[in-house]
Amino acid sequence: MERQPVLTADEVQAFLHEVFPQQRGLQQIEAIGPMTARVRMIIGEAHLRPGGTVSGPAMFTVADCAFYAAVLGMIGREALTVTSNLNINFLRKPAADRDLICEARILKLGRLLATGDMTVRSEGQEAPVAHATTSYAIPPKTG
């Protein structure tokens, strides 16, 4: 039987607003599914770099946020779940006038470690602009 999320997209979004209030309005959690998440990053002037493209740090951020959302969806409100490794490959120039959409999937979810990958696209375009792999450390349960 497939593991089901314990939080909805709205619940993950609310939790992120609570623990990262400075990030409010930068990403939208669009969907949480079994071992998956989809996150939108609203692209604005601050995310652009010379040459009319979205910056690498913006693509990295949406990938990291999407995997964090996927893990939170599965394990619940655990703010101290942290990135232990993230490797990203930039594949093509993203559109400067479109939001970034990231689909994250958890490949393995253990008690103390989650591993997975993320695909980043410019909204409305099929070809990915970046692909990342990651692992997250999950704090041990106390008590």
Side-chain angles (χ1 to χ4, degrees), residues 5 10 18 20 22 28 30 32 37 41-43 48 51 70 79 87 103 125 141 143:
D10 288 341
E18 179 184 316
F20 297 107
Q22 71 278 17
Q28 295 173 346
E30 292 191 336
I32 297 290
M41 178 177 241
I42 313 313
I43 297 302
L48 302 182
N87 181 57
E103 306 250 348
Q125 297 182 341
K141 300 284 186 210

Side-chain angles (χ1 to χ4, degrees), residues 74-102:
M74 295 305 293
I75 69 169
R77 298 169 55 94
E78 184 54 68
L80 296 179
T81 298
V82 295
T83 309
S84 58
N85 181 61
L86 195 149
N87 181 57
I88 190 164
N89 294 295
F90 302 109
L91 305 174
R92 57 188 46 85
K93 181 179 174 179
D97 61 345
R98 297 173 187 240
D99 291 344
L100 292 178
I101 308 294
C102 183

